[in-house]
Amino acid sequence: MTLSVTPCTDPTRWNEYVNQFNGHPQQLWGWGKTKADHGWRVERLLLSEGSGVVGTAQLLLRPLPFPFRALAYIPRGPQGQPGRENAVLDAVAGWAKAHHGAVALTIEPDWDDAAPATAALPAAGFRRSTNTILIPRTLILDLTLSEEDLLAGMSKKHRQYIRKSGREDLDYRAVTAAEIPQCLAVYKETAERAGFGIHEDRYYQDIFENLGADSPVYAAFKGNDVVAFLWLSASGHTAFELYGGMSEEGERLRANYALKWFAIREMKDRGVTRYDFNGLLNDGVSKFKTGWAQHEDLLAGTWDKPLSPLYPVFTTALPLAKTALRRARGVASSVAARVRR
């Protein structure tokens, strides 16, 4: 039976459904609002059978140059009743094609790579894509474990540094709106030191305002100064790391160890059951992440469902466009760094 599709315009009702289906924080209303404030169009779709909602999907839409029209993307979704994933995706794909002429529906679901729902994607018309946005290789902590078990799962060095940085004269707490500029100053310092690009300040401020309590920011303070911060988003089920950084003083004090442990315990106390470190690469940050547990997790990755005969052309053009965009951002970051000096 084909599911019916109804757009949802009620933020409270939407978030209730996301949490009811154990959805990811990137499916919350506030995350979509932020993306809508910065170049995307957003639709929140309720997928129903009869009078009951069986799934939801926050659909991000990006206009594309002629003749492609639009790209439809679901970050870390959809969510719904187990076993109904294919029906939900089929209905969303039909909506994206009929209402937006999308060249493809791209999904990066919050499913394990070995899950039955992932195994069923090829039969539903999806194919793996290398145009990844969210990294599938990650580390997810089970917050239903006791603090003692979580500590036991860490490396010995991590436990030592948690204790060491916890003894420093630092205050660990949630950040207020007035303190966000301090965190962003530390983030810019971190980005310049590590050589990665970041958004304009307004983007991060919008996340803080739009998600509210669903995007807590924690920081290590030395006196009144932020020396390290960790920015999360959180649904009722999953906490997801967004951003973080340290000043040189914070790095010297290894403030990131006690700070992350503080954030993990805050999420555990909140009733969240999964803590996602948001991607592992082969770099120093990832090495720091892997010390928090003795396992890794592999999510489903990026999948496309072609919705247009132009899809093969689109898959060739997209990597070239992304390369050009990265180069442009690199130049912009270099110029900004010179200006700050």
Side-chain angles (χ1 to χ4, degrees):
M1 179 178 179
T2 302
L3 302 181
S4 61
V5 183
T6 307
C8 179
T9 57
D10 182 337
T12 301
R13 185 183 182 214
W14 176 261
N15 283 349
E16 286 175 352
Y17 275 123
V18 171
N19 287 320
Q20 174 186 323
F21 292 128
N22 290 335
H24 193 274
Q26 288 204 321
Q27 287 287 295
L28 292 172
W29 186 280
W31 184 259
K33 186 176 188 309
T34 300
K35 304 310 286 187
D37 290 340
H38 294 271
W40 292 84
R41 181 179 172 186
V42 181
E43 288 184 336
R44 291 95 175 175
L45 304 178
L46 303 178
L47 293 308
S48 304
E49 186 173 67
S51 60
V53 174
V54 300
T56 66
Q58 180 158 254
L59 188 65
L60 305 185
L61 297 151
R62 175 76 80 174
L64 297 174
F66 180 84
F68 300 117
R69 295 188 62 183
L71 172 68
Y73 170 52
I74 307 177
R76 289 294 181 258
Q79 51 276 319
Q81 294 177 356
R84 307 306 302 274
E85 295 90 355
N86 281 353
V88 167
L89 287 171
D90 186 62
V92 173
W95 176 274
K97 182 176 180 179
H99 290 263
H100 304 291
V103 67
L105 172 63
T106 296
I107 64 170
E108 292 181 321
D110 192 27
W111 307 336
D112 190 85
D113 188 60
T118 305
L121 285 173
F126 283 85
R127 58 186 70 177
R128 286 194 182 271
S129 171
T130 58
N131 293 312
T132 298
I133 300 172
L134 298 170
I135 301 168
R137 178 180 165 237
T138 187
L139 171 62
I140 300 175
L141 294 181
D142 178 2
L143 297 191
T144 65
L145 297 174
S146 68
E147 289 188 14
E148 291 75 17
D149 286 340
L150 289 169
L151 284 164
M154 298 177 197
S155 72
K156 180 180 179 181
K157 184 185 76 171
H158 275 54
R159 291 193 296 270
Q160 290 174 339
Y161 283 149
I162 286 172
R163 290 192 293 268
K164 180 179 183 300
S165 57
R167 291 193 296 267
E168 299 289 351
D169 186 21
L170 298 172
D171 182 26
Y172 299 92
R173 60 174 175 80
V175 166
T176 67
E179 292 163 336
I180 289 294
Q182 279 199 70
C183 295
L184 294 179
V186 170
Y187 198 36
K188 291 171 187 174
E189 179 184 336
T190 303
E192 185 171 346
R193 191 166 61 237
F196 61 85
I198 61 176
H199 295 281
E200 60 181 358
D201 288 3
R202 185 69 254 172
Y203 181 81
Y204 304 105
Q205 290 164 349
D206 285 345
I207 291 174
F208 191 78
E209 293 170 10
N210 292 335
L211 280 156
D214 295 326
S215 189
V217 183
Y218 301 108
F221 289 84
K222 188 171 179 61
N224 294 320
D225 297 329
V226 172
V227 297
F229 78 94
L230 181 60
W231 196 319
L232 308 178
S233 59
S235 63
H237 181 58
T238 298
F240 186 63
E241 292 189 352
L242 293 175
Y243 317 107
M246 289 185 293
S247 67
E248 290 185 354
E249 177 70 354
E251 192 168 9
R252 183 184 69 81
L253 297 171
R254 302 191 185 277
N256 54 333
Y257 287 88
L259 176 60
K260 193 181 291 284
W261 180 232
F262 176 84
I264 289 168
R265 287 183 293 141
E266 286 286 301
M267 291 295 99
K268 182 175 173 60
D269 289 345
R270 184 167 162 163
V272 170
T273 58
R274 297 166 77 240
Y275 185 100
D276 189 340
F277 283 67
N278 187 7
L280 296 175
L281 298 169
N282 296 312
D283 59 1
V285 173
S286 296
K287 186 176 181 181
F288 167 67
K289 291 179 180 181
T290 57
W292 291 86
Q294 298 175 20
H295 71 276
E296 293 182 6
D297 296 89
L298 184 63
L299 299 180
T302 309
W303 293 78
D304 285 351
K305 183 168 186 174
L307 302 177
S308 164
L310 295 171
Y311 174 78
V313 180
F314 168 74
T315 58
T316 302
L318 182 60
L320 297 175
K322 289 173 69 175
T323 298
L325 182 59
R326 281 194 297 268
R327 287 175 179 168
R329 285 178 176 168
V331 170
S333 298
S334 177
V335 171
R338 288 197 295 270
V339 169
R340 286 196 294 273
R341 292 192 188 101

